[in-house]
PDB file of all heavy atoms in Angstrom:
ATOM      1  N   TYR A   1      86.068  86.611 102.733  1.00 98.00           N
ATOM      2  CA  TYR A   1      85.353  85.714 103.640  1.00 98.00           C
ATOM      3  C   TYR A   1      85.112  86.460 104.941  1.00 98.00           C
ATOM      4  O   TYR A   1      86.006  87.237 105.432  1.00 98.00           O
ATOM      5  CB  TYR A   1      86.122  84.475 103.915  1.00 98.00           C
ATOM      6  CG  TYR A   1      86.347  83.567 102.722  1.00 98.00           C
ATOM      7  CD1 TYR A   1      87.463  83.670 101.919  1.00 98.00           C
ATOM      8  CD2 TYR A   1      85.378  82.600 102.357  1.00 98.00           C
ATOM      9  CE1 TYR A   1      87.690  82.880 100.820  1.00 98.00           C
ATOM     10  CE2 TYR A   1      85.543  81.841 101.214  1.00 98.00           C
ATOM     11  CZ  TYR A   1      86.707  81.990 100.462  1.00 98.00           C
ATOM     12  OH  TYR A   1      86.886  81.189  99.358  1.00 98.00           O
ATOM     13  N   LEU A   2      83.953  86.240 105.544  1.00 98.00           N
ATOM     14  CA  LEU A   2      83.649  86.760 106.848  1.00 98.00           C
ATOM     15  C   LEU A   2      83.545  85.600 107.798  1.00 98.00           C
ATOM     16  O   LEU A   2      82.647  84.778 107.729  1.00 98.00           O
ATOM     17  CB  LEU A   2      82.305  87.531 106.783  1.00 98.00           C
ATOM     18  CG  LEU A   2      82.241  88.735 105.850  1.00 98.00           C
ATOM     19  CD1 LEU A   2      80.871  89.340 105.885  1.00 98.00           C
ATOM     20  CD2 LEU A   2      83.321  89.749 106.114  1.00 98.00           C
ATOM     21  N   ASP A   3      84.546  85.501 108.713  1.00 98.00           N
ATOM     22  CA  ASP A   3      84.631  84.432 109.666  1.00 98.00           C
ATOM     23  C   ASP A   3      83.901  84.855 110.958  1.00 98.00           C
ATOM     24  O   ASP A   3      84.275  85.838 111.546  1.00 98.00           O
ATOM     25  CB  ASP A   3      86.050  84.067 110.013  1.00 98.00           C
ATOM     26  CG  ASP A   3      86.779  83.466 108.814  1.00 98.00           C
ATOM     27  OD1 ASP A   3      86.165  82.737 108.077  1.00 98.00           O
ATOM     28  OD2 ASP A   3      88.010  83.744 108.693  1.00 98.00           O
ATOM     29  N   GLN A   4      82.905  84.119 111.338  1.00 98.00           N
ATOM     30  CA  GLN A   4      82.247  84.333 112.640  1.00 98.00           C
ATOM     31  C   GLN A   4      82.914  83.500 113.714  1.00 98.00           C
ATOM     32  O   GLN A   4      83.019  82.285 113.580  1.00 98.00           O
ATOM     33  CB  GLN A   4      80.742  83.966 112.543  1.00 98.00           C
ATOM     34  CG  GLN A   4      80.029  84.210 113.870  1.00 98.00           C
ATOM     35  CD  GLN A   4      78.534  84.002 113.750  1.00 98.00           C
ATOM     36  OE1 GLN A   4      77.757  84.562 114.534  1.00 98.00           O
ATOM     37  NE2 GLN A   4      78.067  83.256 112.780  1.00 98.00           N
ATOM     38  N   ILE A   5      83.433  84.147 114.741  1.00 98.00           N
ATOM     39  CA  ILE A   5      84.142  83.481 115.781  1.00 98.00           C
ATOM     40  C   ILE A   5      83.607  83.916 117.138  1.00 98.00           C
ATOM     41  O   ILE A   5      83.001  84.991 117.283  1.00 98.00           O
ATOM     42  CB  ILE A   5      85.674  83.774 115.705  1.00 98.00           C
ATOM     43  CG1 ILE A   5      85.987  85.228 115.994  1.00 98.00           C
ATOM     44  CG2 ILE A   5      86.252  83.326 114.372  1.00 98.00           C
ATOM     45  CD1 ILE A   5      87.471  85.586 116.113  1.00 98.00           C
ATOM     46  N   THR A   6      83.840  83.121 118.115  1.00 97.00           N
ATOM     47  CA  THR A   6      83.533  83.493 119.488  1.00 97.00           C
ATOM     48  C   THR A   6      84.533  84.527 119.946  1.00 97.00           C
ATOM     49  O   THR A   6      85.614  84.627 119.398  1.00 97.00           O
ATOM     50  CB  THR A   6      83.528  82.300 120.452  1.00 97.00           C
ATOM     51  OG1 THR A   6      84.873  81.764 120.498  1.00 97.00           O
ATOM     52  CG2 THR A   6      82.571  81.213 120.018  1.00 97.00           C
ATOM     53  N   PRO A   7      84.234  85.269 120.996  1.00 97.00           N
ATOM     54  CA  PRO A   7      85.208  86.319 121.453  1.00 97.00           C
ATOM     55  C   PRO A   7      86.518  85.727 121.892  1.00 97.00           C
ATOM     56  O   PRO A   7      87.502  86.474 121.992  1.00 97.00           O
ATOM     57  CB  PRO A   7      84.445  86.977 122.618  1.00 97.00           C
ATOM     58  CG  PRO A   7      83.005  86.860 122.261  1.00 97.00           C
ATOM     59  CD  PRO A   7      82.888  85.483 121.665  1.00 97.00           C
ATOM     60  N   ASN A   8      86.567  84.443 122.244  1.00 95.00           N
ATOM     61  CA  ASN A   8      87.842  83.849 122.629  1.00 95.00           C
ATOM     62  C   ASN A   8      88.489  83.094 121.486  1.00 95.00           C
ATOM     63  O   ASN A   8      89.423  82.330 121.688  1.00 95.00           O
ATOM     64  CB  ASN A   8      87.682  82.941 123.867  1.00 95.00           C
ATOM     65  CG  ASN A   8      86.733  81.797 123.632  1.00 95.00           C
ATOM     66  OD1 ASN A   8      85.899  81.847 122.751  1.00 95.00           O
ATOM     67  ND2 ASN A   8      86.835  80.793 124.451  1.00 95.00           N
ATOM     68  N   GLY A   9      88.017  83.288 120.235  1.00 96.00           N
ATOM     69  CA  GLY A   9      88.759  82.885 119.078  1.00 96.00           C
ATOM     70  C   GLY A   9      88.314  81.615 118.375  1.00 96.00           C
ATOM     71  O   GLY A   9      88.925  81.276 117.347  1.00 96.00           O
ATOM     72  N   TRP A  10      87.263  80.929 118.795  1.00 96.00           N
ATOM     73  CA  TRP A  10      86.900  79.704 118.172  1.00 96.00           C
ATOM     74  C   TRP A  10      85.974  80.001 116.977  1.00 96.00           C
ATOM     75  O   TRP A  10      85.020  80.744 117.051  1.00 96.00           O
ATOM     76  CB  TRP A  10      86.173  78.764 119.181  1.00 96.00           C
ATOM     77  CG  TRP A  10      87.069  78.313 120.255  1.00 96.00           C
ATOM     78  CD1 TRP A  10      87.180  78.849 121.515  1.00 96.00           C
ATOM     79  CD2 TRP A  10      87.966  77.210 120.190  1.00 96.00           C
ATOM     80  NE1 TRP A  10      88.123  78.145 122.223  1.00 96.00           N
ATOM     81  CE2 TRP A  10      88.630  77.127 121.434  1.00 96.00           C
ATOM     82  CE3 TRP A  10      88.293  76.300 119.217  1.00 96.00           C
ATOM     83  CZ2 TRP A  10      89.594  76.201 121.717  1.00 96.00           C
ATOM     84  CZ3 TRP A  10      89.254  75.334 119.488  1.00 96.00           C
ATOM     85  CH2 TRP A  10      89.879  75.302 120.722  1.00 96.00           C
ATOM     86  N   LEU A  11      86.304  79.326 115.872  1.00 97.00           N
ATOM     87  CA  LEU A  11      85.589  79.521 114.622  1.00 97.00           C
ATOM     88  C   LEU A  11      84.197  78.836 114.732  1.00 97.00           C
ATOM     89  O   LEU A  11      84.096  77.693 115.066  1.00 97.00           O
ATOM     90  CB  LEU A  11      86.334  78.970 113.435  1.00 97.00           C
ATOM     91  CG  LEU A  11      85.666  79.101 112.078  1.00 97.00           C
ATOM     92  CD1 LEU A  11      85.568  80.534 111.619  1.00 97.00           C
ATOM     93  CD2 LEU A  11      86.383  78.213 111.050  1.00 97.00           C
ATOM     94  N   ILE A  12      83.175  79.614 114.329  1.00 97.00           N
ATOM     95  CA  ILE A  12      81.826  79.028 114.284  1.00 97.00           C
ATOM     96  C   ILE A  12      81.442  78.666 112.843  1.00 97.00           C
ATOM     97  O   ILE A  12      81.163  77.503 112.524  1.00 97.00           O
ATOM     98  CB  ILE A  12      80.767  80.026 114.876  1.00 97.00           C
ATOM     99  CG1 ILE A  12      81.057  80.314 116.313  1.00 97.00           C
ATOM    100  CG2 ILE A  12      79.346  79.526 114.658  1.00 97.00           C
ATOM    101  CD1 ILE A  12      80.271  81.437 116.897  1.00 97.00           C
ATOM    102  N   ASP A  13      81.521  79.655 111.951  1.00 96.00           N
ATOM    103  CA  ASP A  13      81.275  79.385 110.521  1.00 96.00           C
ATOM    104  C   ASP A  13      81.809  80.543 109.703  1.00 96.00           C
ATOM    105  O   ASP A  13      82.339  81.518 110.234  1.00 96.00           O
ATOM    106  CB  ASP A  13      79.803  79.082 110.245  1.00 96.00           C
ATOM    107  CG  ASP A  13      78.930  80.134 110.799  1.00 96.00           C
ATOM    108  OD1 ASP A  13      79.405  81.222 111.239  1.00 96.00           O
ATOM    109  OD2 ASP A  13      77.637  79.914 110.817  1.00 96.00           O
ATOM    110  N   THR A  14      81.719  80.408 108.370  1.00 97.00           N
ATOM    111  CA  THR A  14      82.302  81.344 107.460  1.00 97.00           C
ATOM    112  C   THR A  14      81.312  81.710 106.358  1.00 97.00           C
ATOM    113  O   THR A  14      80.644  80.827 105.809  1.00 97.00           O
ATOM    114  CB  THR A  14      83.578  80.766 106.815  1.00 97.00           C
ATOM    115  OG1 THR A  14      84.560  80.574 107.816  1.00 97.00           O
ATOM    116  CG2 THR A  14      84.130  81.669 105.742  1.00 97.00           C
ATOM    117  N   LEU A  15      81.218  82.980 106.029  1.00 97.00           N
ATOM    118  CA  LEU A  15      80.352  83.455 104.932  1.00 97.00           C
ATOM    119  C   LEU A  15      81.230  83.992 103.856  1.00 97.00           C
ATOM    120  O   LEU A  15      82.051  84.905 104.048  1.00 97.00           O
ATOM    121  CB  LEU A  15      79.440  84.561 105.490  1.00 97.00           C
ATOM    122  CG  LEU A  15      78.479  85.230 104.496  1.00 97.00           C
ATOM    123  CD1 LEU A  15      77.455  84.203 104.017  1.00 97.00           C
ATOM    124  CD2 LEU A  15      77.793  86.411 105.131  1.00 97.00           C
ATOM    125  N   GLU A  16      81.081  83.444 102.669  1.00 97.00           N
ATOM    126  CA  GLU A  16      81.819  83.914 101.491  1.00 97.00           C
ATOM    127  C   GLU A  16      81.023  85.061 100.807  1.00 97.00           C
ATOM    128  O   GLU A  16      79.833  84.924 100.535  1.00 97.00           O
ATOM    129  CB  GLU A  16      82.067  82.820 100.499  1.00 97.00           C
ATOM    130  CG  GLU A  16      82.886  83.236  99.296  1.00 97.00           C
ATOM    131  CD  GLU A  16      83.204  82.089  98.351  1.00 97.00           C
ATOM    132  OE1 GLU A  16      82.822  80.922  98.662  1.00 97.00           O
ATOM    133  OE2 GLU A  16      83.809  82.318  97.282  1.00 97.00           O
ATOM    134  N   VAL A  17      81.683  86.170 100.598  1.00 97.00           N
ATOM    135  CA  VAL A  17      81.065  87.312  99.889  1.00 97.00           C
ATOM    136  C   VAL A  17      80.886  86.954  98.424  1.00 97.00           C
ATOM    137  O   VAL A  17      81.796  86.409  97.833  1.00 97.00           O
ATOM    138  CB  VAL A  17      81.927  88.579 100.084  1.00 97.00           C
ATOM    139  CG1 VAL A  17      81.284  89.732  99.342  1.00 97.00           C
ATOM    140  CG2 VAL A  17      82.073  88.907 101.552  1.00 97.00           C
ATOM    141  N   PRO A  18      79.712  87.194  97.853  1.00 96.00           N
ATOM    142  CA  PRO A  18      79.498  86.864  96.441  1.00 96.00           C
ATOM    143  C   PRO A  18      80.580  87.445  95.550  1.00 96.00           C
ATOM    144  O   PRO A  18      81.062  88.587  95.734  1.00 96.00           O
ATOM    145  CB  PRO A  18      78.147  87.494  96.121  1.00 96.00           C
ATOM    146  CG  PRO A  18      77.447  87.579  97.425  1.00 96.00           C
ATOM    147  CD  PRO A  18      78.505  87.788  98.448  1.00 96.00           C
ATOM    148  N   ASN A  19      81.064  86.643  94.591  1.00 96.00           N
ATOM    149  CA  ASN A  19      82.128  87.029  93.684  1.00 96.00           C
ATOM    150  C   ASN A  19      81.969  86.333  92.364  1.00 96.00           C
ATOM    151  O   ASN A  19      81.038  85.543  92.179  1.00 96.00           O
ATOM    152  CB  ASN A  19      83.505  86.726  94.320  1.00 96.00           C
ATOM    153  CG  ASN A  19      83.653  85.230  94.725  1.00 96.00           C
ATOM    154  OD1 ASN A  19      83.750  84.387  93.819  1.00 96.00           O
ATOM    155  ND2 ASN A  19      83.603  84.917  96.026  1.00 96.00           N
ATOM    156  N   SER A  20      82.892  86.553  91.439  1.00 94.00           N
ATOM    157  CA  SER A  20      82.763  86.007  90.093  1.00 94.00           C
ATOM    158  C   SER A  20      82.843  84.475  90.070  1.00 94.00           C
ATOM    159  O   SER A  20      82.389  83.829  89.128  1.00 94.00           O
ATOM    160  CB  SER A  20      83.815  86.583  89.139  1.00 94.00           C
ATOM    161  OG  SER A  20      85.111  86.289  89.638  1.00 94.00           O
ATOM    162  N   MET A  21      83.452  83.884  91.129  1.00 92.00           N
ATOM    163  CA  MET A  21      83.509  82.449  91.205  1.00 92.00           C
ATOM    164  C   MET A  21      82.268  81.853  91.923  1.00 92.00           C
ATOM    165  O   MET A  21      82.020  80.664  91.854  1.00 92.00           O
ATOM    166  CB  MET A  21      84.771  82.003  91.967  1.00 92.00           C
ATOM    167  CG  MET A  21      86.053  82.284  91.199  1.00 92.00           C
ATOM    168  SD  MET A  21      87.500  81.660  92.089  1.00 92.00           S
ATOM    169  CE  MET A  21      88.766  81.891  90.894  1.00 92.00           C
ATOM    170  N   ARG A  22      81.560  82.724  92.611  1.00 87.00           N
ATOM    171  CA  ARG A  22      80.268  82.328  93.248  1.00 87.00           C
ATOM    172  C   ARG A  22      79.297  83.460  93.138  1.00 87.00           C
ATOM    173  O   ARG A  22      78.973  84.131  94.140  1.00 87.00           O
ATOM    174  CB  ARG A  22      80.529  81.959  94.716  1.00 87.00           C
ATOM    175  CG  ARG A  22      79.316  81.248  95.374  1.00 87.00           C
ATOM    176  CD  ARG A  22      79.543  81.012  96.822  1.00 87.00           C
ATOM    177  NE  ARG A  22      79.434  82.240  97.605  1.00 87.00           N
ATOM    178  CZ  ARG A  22      78.297  82.791  98.012  1.00 87.00           C
ATOM    179  NH1 ARG A  22      77.154  82.288  97.647  1.00 87.00           N
ATOM    180  NH2 ARG A  22      78.327  83.875  98.747  1.00 87.00           N
ATOM    181  N   PRO A  23      78.850  83.766  91.912  1.00 76.00           N
ATOM    182  CA  PRO A  23      78.005  84.955  91.722  1.00 76.00           C
ATOM    183  C   PRO A  23      76.574  84.710  92.194  1.00 76.00           C
ATOM    184  O   PRO A  23      76.067  83.613  92.273  1.00 76.00           O
ATOM    185  CB  PRO A  23      78.062  85.130  90.236  1.00 76.00           C
ATOM    186  CG  PRO A  23      78.252  83.741  89.684  1.00 76.00           C
ATOM    187  CD  PRO A  23      79.137  83.047  90.655  1.00 76.00           C
ATOM    188  N   THR A  24      75.915  85.820  92.558  1.00 75.00           N
ATOM    189  CA  THR A  24      74.508  85.807  92.886  1.00 75.00           C
ATOM    190  C   THR A  24      73.877  87.057  92.169  1.00 75.00           C
ATOM    191  O   THR A  24      74.207  88.149  92.448  1.00 75.00           O
ATOM    192  CB  THR A  24      74.204  85.940  94.393  1.00 75.00           C
ATOM    193  OG1 THR A  24      74.838  87.125  94.885  1.00 75.00           O
ATOM    194  CG2 THR A  24      74.761  84.714  95.129  1.00 75.00           C
ATOM    195  N   ALA A  25      73.027  86.743  91.199  1.00 65.00           N
ATOM    196  CA  ALA A  25      72.475  87.802  90.351  1.00 65.00           C
ATOM    197  C   ALA A  25      71.737  88.854  91.125  1.00 65.00           C
ATOM    198  O   ALA A  25      71.767  90.030  90.834  1.00 65.00           O
ATOM    199  CB  ALA A  25      71.596  87.208  89.259  1.00 65.00           C
ATOM    200  N   HIS A  26      71.054  88.430  92.214  1.00 75.00           N
ATOM    201  CA  HIS A  26      70.226  89.417  92.972  1.00 75.00           C
ATOM    202  C   HIS A  26      71.066  90.246  93.971  1.00 75.00           C
ATOM    203  O   HIS A  26      70.572  91.242  94.431  1.00 75.00           O
ATOM    204  CB  HIS A  26      69.128  88.642  93.734  1.00 75.00           C
ATOM    205  CG  HIS A  26      69.613  87.763  94.805  1.00 75.00           C
ATOM    206  ND1 HIS A  26      70.188  86.512  94.472  1.00 75.00           N
ATOM    207  CD2 HIS A  26      69.639  87.831  96.142  1.00 75.00           C
ATOM    208  CE1 HIS A  26      70.553  85.905  95.608  1.00 75.00           C
ATOM    209  NE2 HIS A  26      70.187  86.676  96.612  1.00 75.00           N
ATOM    210  N   GLU A  27      72.295  89.807  94.254  1.00 82.00           N
ATOM    211  CA  GLU A  27      73.073  90.544  95.219  1.00 82.00           C
ATOM    212  C   GLU A  27      74.262  91.283  94.524  1.00 82.00           C
ATOM    213  O   GLU A  27      74.652  92.418  94.923  1.00 82.00           O
ATOM    214  CB  GLU A  27      73.671  89.616  96.299  1.00 82.00           C
ATOM    215  CG  GLU A  27      72.604  89.092  97.247  1.00 82.00           C
ATOM    216  CD  GLU A  27      73.198  88.184  98.286  1.00 82.00           C
ATOM    217  OE1 GLU A  27      74.095  87.393  97.973  1.00 82.00           O
ATOM    218  OE2 GLU A  27      72.753  88.209  99.441  1.00 82.00           O
ATOM    219  N   GLY A  28      74.843  90.709  93.501  1.00 91.00           N
ATOM    220  CA  GLY A  28      76.038  91.268  92.859  1.00 91.00           C
ATOM    221  C   GLY A  28      77.262  90.566  93.308  1.00 91.00           C
ATOM    222  O   GLY A  28      77.238  89.408  93.781  1.00 91.00           O
ATOM    223  N   GLU A  29      78.429  91.259  93.211  1.00 95.00           N
ATOM    224  CA  GLU A  29      79.686  90.615  93.614  1.00 95.00           C
ATOM    225  C   GLU A  29      80.699  91.697  94.029  1.00 95.00           C
ATOM    226  O   GLU A  29      80.584  92.884  93.674  1.00 95.00           O
ATOM    227  CB  GLU A  29      80.238  89.817  92.449  1.00 95.00           C
ATOM    228  CG  GLU A  29      80.503  90.586  91.192  1.00 95.00           C
ATOM    229  CD  GLU A  29      80.899  89.710  90.007  1.00 95.00           C
ATOM    230  OE1 GLU A  29      80.144  88.727  89.690  1.00 95.00           O
ATOM    231  OE2 GLU A  29      81.989  89.919  89.466  1.00 95.00           O
ATOM    232  N   LEU A  30      81.668  91.245  94.818  1.00 97.00           N
ATOM    233  CA  LEU A  30      82.667  92.145  95.407  1.00 97.00           C
ATOM    234  C   LEU A  30      83.913  91.373  95.721  1.00 97.00           C
ATOM    235  O   LEU A  30      83.873  90.221  96.104  1.00 97.00           O
ATOM    236  CB  LEU A  30      82.135  92.814  96.672  1.00 97.00           C
ATOM    237  CG  LEU A  30      82.837  94.051  97.143  1.00 97.00           C
ATOM    238  CD1 LEU A  30      82.451  95.260  96.225  1.00 97.00           C
ATOM    239  CD2 LEU A  30      82.505  94.393  98.593  1.00 97.00           C
ATOM    240  N   VAL A  31      85.070  92.023  95.518  1.00 98.00           N
ATOM    241  CA  VAL A  31      86.368  91.428  95.817  1.00 98.00           C
ATOM    242  C   VAL A  31      87.224  92.488  96.512  1.00 98.00           C
ATOM    243  O   VAL A  31      86.873  93.644  96.600  1.00 98.00           O
ATOM    244  CB  VAL A  31      87.100  90.935  94.575  1.00 98.00           C
ATOM    245  CG1 VAL A  31      86.371  89.739  93.955  1.00 98.00           C
ATOM    246  CG2 VAL A  31      87.245  92.058  93.553  1.00 98.00           C
ATOM    247  N   THR A  32      88.361  91.972  97.056  1.00 98.00           N
ATOM    248  CA  THR A  32      89.366  92.889  97.604  1.00 98.00           C
ATOM    249  C   THR A  32      90.631  92.711  96.771  1.00 98.00           C
ATOM    250  O   THR A  32      90.749  91.794  95.946  1.00 98.00           O
ATOM    251  CB  THR A  32      89.638  92.539  99.111  1.00 98.00           C
ATOM    252  OG1 THR A  32      90.494  93.542  99.669  1.00 98.00           O
ATOM    253  CG2 THR A  32      90.295  91.181  99.296  1.00 98.00           C
ATOM    254  N   SER A  33      91.605  93.594  97.007  1.00 98.00           N
ATOM    255  CA  SER A  33      92.926  93.374  96.454  1.00 98.00           C
ATOM    256  C   SER A  33      93.764  92.707  97.501  1.00 98.00           C
ATOM    257  O   SER A  33      93.971  93.277  98.588  1.00 98.00           O
ATOM    258  CB  SER A  33      93.568  94.725  96.014  1.00 98.00           C
ATOM    259  OG  SER A  33      94.850  94.535  95.509  1.00 98.00           O
ATOM    260  N   PHE A  34      94.231  91.504  97.250  1.00 98.00           N
ATOM    261  CA  PHE A  34      94.758  90.638  98.294  1.00 98.00           C
ATOM    262  C   PHE A  34      95.852  91.345  99.103  1.00 98.00           C
ATOM    263  O   PHE A  34      95.900  91.216 100.343  1.00 98.00           O
ATOM    264  CB  PHE A  34      95.311  89.349  97.702  1.00 98.00           C
ATOM    265  CG  PHE A  34      95.885  88.413  98.712  1.00 98.00           C
ATOM    266  CD1 PHE A  34      95.035  87.501  99.383  1.00 98.00           C
ATOM    267  CD2 PHE A  34      97.223  88.358  99.017  1.00 98.00           C
ATOM    268  CE1 PHE A  34      95.516  86.651 100.313  1.00 98.00           C
ATOM    269  CE2 PHE A  34      97.730  87.499  99.964  1.00 98.00           C
ATOM    270  CZ  PHE A  34      96.873  86.602 100.631  1.00 98.00           C
ATOM    271  N   SER A  35      96.782  92.039  98.504  1.00 98.00           N
ATOM    272  CA  SER A  35      97.909  92.595  99.162  1.00 98.00           C
ATOM    273  C   SER A  35      97.672  94.003  99.718  1.00 98.00           C
ATOM    274  O   SER A  35      98.547  94.593 100.328  1.00 98.00           O
ATOM    275  CB  SER A  35      99.152  92.611  98.311  1.00 98.00           C
ATOM    276  OG  SER A  35      98.911  93.352  97.120  1.00 98.00           O
ATOM    277  N   SER A  36      96.432  94.555  99.508  1.00 97.00           N
ATOM    278  CA  SER A  36      96.150  95.927  99.962  1.00 97.00           C
ATOM    279  C   SER A  36      95.776  95.881 101.423  1.00 97.00           C
ATOM    280  O   SER A  36      94.633  95.596 101.798  1.00 97.00           O
ATOM    281  CB  SER A  36      95.056  96.511  99.133  1.00 97.00           C
ATOM    282  OG  SER A  36      95.462  96.726  97.774  1.00 97.00           O
ATOM    283  N   LYS A  37      96.696  96.168 102.273  1.00 97.00           N
ATOM    284  CA  LYS A  37      96.582  95.994 103.718  1.00 97.00           C
ATOM    285  C   LYS A  37      95.556  96.919 104.402  1.00 97.00           C
ATOM    286  O   LYS A  37      95.122  96.625 105.502  1.00 97.00           O
ATOM    287  CB  LYS A  37      97.961  96.202 104.400  1.00 97.00           C
ATOM    288  CG  LYS A  37      98.547  97.584 104.122  1.00 97.00           C
ATOM    289  CD  LYS A  37      99.989  97.727 104.621  1.00 97.00           C
ATOM    290  CE  LYS A  37     100.537  99.109 104.348  1.00 97.00           C
ATOM    291  NZ  LYS A  37     101.977  99.197 104.784  1.00 97.00           N
ATOM    292  N   SER A  38      95.206  98.024 103.721  1.00 97.00           N
ATOM    293  CA  SER A  38      94.306  98.970 104.362  1.00 97.00           C
ATOM    294  C   SER A  38      92.822  98.675 104.154  1.00 97.00           C
ATOM    295  O   SER A  38      91.957  99.385 104.681  1.00 97.00           O
ATOM    296  CB  SER A  38      94.631 100.395 103.889  1.00 97.00           C
ATOM    297  OG  SER A  38      94.471 100.449 102.434  1.00 97.00           O
ATOM    298  N   GLU A  39      92.540  97.598 103.414  1.00 98.00           N
ATOM    299  CA  GLU A  39      91.139  97.303 103.052  1.00 98.00           C
ATOM    300  C   GLU A  39      90.433  96.416 104.024  1.00 98.00           C
ATOM    301  O   GLU A  39      91.009  95.835 104.939  1.00 98.00           O
ATOM    302  CB  GLU A  39      91.111  96.715 101.642  1.00 98.00           C
ATOM    303  CG  GLU A  39      91.662  97.668 100.561  1.00 98.00           C
ATOM    304  CD  GLU A  39      91.749  97.021  99.215  1.00 98.00           C
ATOM    305  OE1 GLU A  39      91.312  95.840  99.028  1.00 98.00           O
ATOM    306  OE2 GLU A  39      92.227  97.736  98.305  1.00 98.00           O
ATOM    307  N   LEU A  40      89.095  96.341 103.800  1.00 98.00           N
ATOM    308  CA  LEU A  40      88.207  95.393 104.542  1.00 98.00           C
ATOM    309  C   LEU A  40      87.997  95.692 106.032  1.00 98.00           C
ATOM    310  O   LEU A  40      87.769  94.800 106.815  1.00 98.00           O
ATOM    311  CB  LEU A  40      88.615  93.961 104.321  1.00 98.00           C
ATOM    312  CG  LEU A  40      88.577  93.398 102.914  1.00 98.00           C
ATOM    313  CD1 LEU A  40      88.917  91.938 102.896  1.00 98.00           C
ATOM    314  CD2 LEU A  40      87.184  93.653 102.300  1.00 98.00           C
ATOM    315  N   GLY A  41      88.223  96.968 106.443  1.00 98.00           N
ATOM    316  CA  GLY A  41      87.804  97.301 107.782  1.00 98.00           C
ATOM    317  C   GLY A  41      86.287  97.074 107.928  1.00 98.00           C
ATOM    318  O   GLY A  41      85.515  97.332 107.044  1.00 98.00           O
ATOM    319  N   LEU A  42      85.931  96.550 109.116  1.00 98.00           N
ATOM    320  CA  LEU A  42      84.534  96.198 109.363  1.00 98.00           C
ATOM    321  C   LEU A  42      83.921  97.137 110.378  1.00 98.00           C
ATOM    322  O   LEU A  42      84.574  97.480 111.411  1.00 98.00           O
ATOM    323  CB  LEU A  42      84.409  94.751 109.900  1.00 98.00           C
ATOM    324  CG  LEU A  42      84.926  93.629 108.990  1.00 98.00           C
ATOM    325  CD1 LEU A  42      84.833  92.289 109.733  1.00 98.00           C
ATOM    326  CD2 LEU A  42      84.113  93.573 107.698  1.00 98.00           C
ATOM    327  N   HIS A  43      82.649  97.550 110.169  1.00 98.00           N
ATOM    328  CA  HIS A  43      81.983  98.382 111.167  1.00 98.00           C
ATOM    329  C   HIS A  43      80.514  98.041 111.212  1.00 98.00           C
ATOM    330  O   HIS A  43      79.851  97.746 110.202  1.00 98.00           O
ATOM    331  CB  HIS A  43      82.093  99.893 110.747  1.00 98.00           C
ATOM    332  CG  HIS A  43      83.436 100.453 111.031  1.00 98.00           C
ATOM    333  ND1 HIS A  43      83.807 100.884 112.296  1.00 98.00           N
ATOM    334  CD2 HIS A  43      84.492 100.697 110.235  1.00 98.00           C
ATOM    335  CE1 HIS A  43      85.074 101.356 112.234  1.00 98.00           C
ATOM    336  NE2 HIS A  43      85.485 101.222 110.986  1.00 98.00           N
ATOM    337  N   LEU A  44      79.985  98.046 112.445  1.00 98.00           N
ATOM    338  CA  LEU A  44      78.549  97.911 112.633  1.00 98.00           C
ATOM    339  C   LEU A  44      77.829  99.220 112.208  1.00 98.00           C
ATOM    340  O   LEU A  44      78.363 100.323 112.381  1.00 98.00           O
ATOM    341  CB  LEU A  44      78.211  97.579 114.091  1.00 98.00           C
ATOM    342  CG  LEU A  44      78.502  96.194 114.569  1.00 98.00           C
ATOM    343  CD1 LEU A  44      78.283  96.057 116.055  1.00 98.00           C
ATOM    344  CD2 LEU A  44      77.639  95.153 113.816  1.00 98.00           C
TER     345      LEU A  44
END
């Protein structure tokens, strides 16, 4: 999930990345390994 928040921490909304439980044929799907702490770094 990608949570959009204000810089002071208030949640605005959430975007779920397409996955096997919510697939989108035109985009594909992606998951993480839940306990893998080094994953999902975000960059512009």
Side-chain angles (χ1 to χ4, degrees):
Y1 297 93
L2 302 178
D3 293 325
Q4 181 173 203
I5 65 173
T6 62
N8 60 339
W10 294 96
L11 179 69
I12 297 171
D13 51 11
T14 294
L15 178 65
E16 183 177 355
V17 178
N19 57 71
S20 60
M21 292 183 171
R22 193 185 71 82
T24 57
H26 65 286
E27 290 181 322
E29 59 188 57
L30 198 74
V31 292
T32 188
S33 179
F34 182 84
S35 58
S36 295
K37 59 188 179 182
S38 59
E39 296 176 4
L40 295 184
L42 299 176
H43 284 280
L44 286 173

